[in-house]
């Protein structure tokens, strides 16, 4: 088996690396967009604006988050894969675009909860002190709350990136070019199942293990700086 693994790697290493590139690109776009969208979702979730006794922004975001967290990611990928081309009749998005949008919204739902928890973890006395110094709510959030919340949020966001690298494997259902898609192509060409699967598993492990160790090192440095 080891000889076959070496032969598969020597013959198709470029496809494996291409798949890794697509996997990292998809994960990076997903987490970056998820952070941006998730930040605004978190602010909307914490909004105190009311219509009568209802906080509409908070309610809408809460429903969205619960739907995303309560349904399988694969179902969401199918939903956007088939729905987006029908909705965007003036533009036909690619498979990669549909899957990326689905992953971004999925990540945004989880990231919004991470950011909300990080912001709410900051002592309320900090807000009161900032307001007593004459800062408005926007200045308080930007200059006082967020710098402290980032220390709570950053490790969780890095872990979200690690998790998303593994979850992109579900995108292979739609053949968008990431690692598991390359595995299917190579396995079909060679009529081998285990050998290319082992290579893909090793690549996933090396990448996620390395990133996890980086996250742990960053957490230790942040704790040491407290």
């Amino acid at each position: 088996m080891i000889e076959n693994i070496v032969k598969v790697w020597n013959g198709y290493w470029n496809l494996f690396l291409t798949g890794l590139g697509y996997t990292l690109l998809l994960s990076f776009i997903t987490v970056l967009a998820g952070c941006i969208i998730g930040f605004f979702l978190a602010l909307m979730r914490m909004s105190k604006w009311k219509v009568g006794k209802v906080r509409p922004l908070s309610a809408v975001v809460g429903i969205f988050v619960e739907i995303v967290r309560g349904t399988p990611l694969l179902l969401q990928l199918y939903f956007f894969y088939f729905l987006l081309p029908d909705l965007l009749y003036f533009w036909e998005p690619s498979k990669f675009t549909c899957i990326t949008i689905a992953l971004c919204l999925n990540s945004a739902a989880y990231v919004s909860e991470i950011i909300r928890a990080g912001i709410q973890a900051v002592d309320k006395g900090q807000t009161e002190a900032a307001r007593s110094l004459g800062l408005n709510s926007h200045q308080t959030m930007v200059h006082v709350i967020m710098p402290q919340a980032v220390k709570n949020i950053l490790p969780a966001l890095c872990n979200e990136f690690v998790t998303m690298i593994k979850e992109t494997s579900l995108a292979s259902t739609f053949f968008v070019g990431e690692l598991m898609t390359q595995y299917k192509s190579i396995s079909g060409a060679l009529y081998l199942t285990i050998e290319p699967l082992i290579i893909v598993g090793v690549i996933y492990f090396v990448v996620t293990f390395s990133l996890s160790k980086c996250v742990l090192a960053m957490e230790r440095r942040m704790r040491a700086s407290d």
Side-chain angles (χ1 to χ4, degrees):
M1 178 179 289
I2 295 178
E3 291 182 359
N4 285 339
I5 292 174
V6 173
K7 289 180 180 178
V8 171
W9 173 256
N10 288 337
Y12 294 91
W13 62 269
N14 56 330
L15 291 183
F16 287 116
L17 293 183
T18 299
L20 176 60
Y22 271 104
T23 294
L24 294 177
L25 175 63
L26 194 56
S27 302
F28 177 76
I29 293 173
T30 297
V31 174
L32 179 62
C35 288
I36 296 172
I37 300 171
F39 174 74
F40 290 104
L41 291 179
L43 295 181
M44 291 169 64
R45 186 75 184 270
M46 295 185 295
S47 172
K48 296 181 180 179
W49 176 59
K50 288 186 177 182
V51 177
K53 295 183 178 181
V54 179
R55 293 191 297 170
L57 291 179
S58 180
V60 169
V61 174
I63 292 171
F64 168 74
V65 170
E66 292 304 321
I67 290 175
V68 170
R69 296 201 307 181
T71 55
L73 176 56
L74 185 58
L75 184 148
Q76 297 166 28
L77 295 179
Y78 271 112
F79 186 79
F80 279 88
Y81 180 77
F82 290 113
L83 181 66
L84 277 183
D86 290 337
L87 290 179
L88 305 176
Y89 58 90
F90 54 87
W91 171 55
E92 185 174 350
S94 64
K95 292 188 293 184
F96 187 85
T97 301
C98 293
I99 298 306
T100 301
I101 292 174
L103 289 172
C104 288
L105 293 177
N106 178 274
S107 179
Y110 288 94
V111 169
S112 69
E113 291 298 286
I114 293 173
I115 294 175
R116 182 170 68 92
I119 292 174
Q120 292 178 339
V122 178
D123 195 309
K124 292 183 179 180
Q126 300 288 333
T127 301
E128 295 171 357
R131 299 305 293 271
S132 68
L133 292 174
L135 299 180
N136 58 34
S137 57
H138 174 73
Q139 291 171 328
T140 300
M141 177 62 70
V142 173
H143 298 293
V144 178
I145 303 300
M146 284 308 299
Q148 298 180 67
V150 165
K151 296 186 72 174
N152 300 324
I153 294 170
L154 198 56
L157 291 181
C158 292
N159 284 322
E160 174 69 12
F161 180 64
V162 174
T163 300
M164 191 52 62
I165 288 176
K166 293 180 288 186
E167 289 187 343
T168 55
S169 61
L170 293 173
S172 64
T173 306
F174 308 94
F175 291 89
V176 296
E178 38 59 67
L179 268 173
M180 288 303 295
T181 298
Q182 302 299 342
Y183 157 73
K184 290 182 177 181
S185 300
I186 295 169
S187 177
L190 299 178
Y191 297 99
L192 293 174
T193 303
I194 300 300
E195 289 82 353
L197 194 62
I198 290 174
I199 295 174
V200 168
V202 169
I203 294 174
Y204 272 120
F205 177 78
V206 169
V207 172
T208 56
F209 181 79
S210 301
L211 289 174
S212 296
K213 289 301 180 182
C214 291
V215 172
L216 289 175
M218 181 181 63
E219 289 179 353
R220 284 195 295 268
R221 291 190 63 180
M222 293 176 67
R223 284 197 297 266
S225 64
D226 289 338

